[in-house]
């Protein structure tokens, strides 16, 4: 019987992890990556501009 209790612990942990994962992922469908990707594009453009006027080695 003790062996079954020890096997129950990882099973309960896996069920809890699955529930938490589905709960954490519930808002990803409603949220888009638009603002983050726009910010990254602005960052890349700024970095490219800063290298065009830099002194070469």
């Amino acid at each position: 019987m003790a062996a079954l209790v020890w096997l129950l612990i990882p099973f309960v942990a896996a069920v809890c992890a699955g529930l938490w994962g589905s709960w954490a992922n519930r808002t990803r469908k409603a949220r888009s990556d638009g603002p983050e990707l726009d910010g990254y594009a602005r960052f890349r453009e700024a970095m490219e501009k800063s290298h065009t006027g830099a002194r070469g080695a």
Side-chain angles (χ1 to χ4, degrees), residues 3-36:
L4 291 177
V5 172
W6 281 105
L7 290 174
L8 188 62
I9 293 171
F11 178 74
V12 170
V15 169
C16 289
L19 290 173
W20 178 82
S22 63
W23 177 79
N25 197 27
R26 76 190 189 291
T27 58
R28 289 204 177 212
K29 296 171 188 154
R31 187 175 40 181
S32 70
D33 290 336
E36 289 85 2

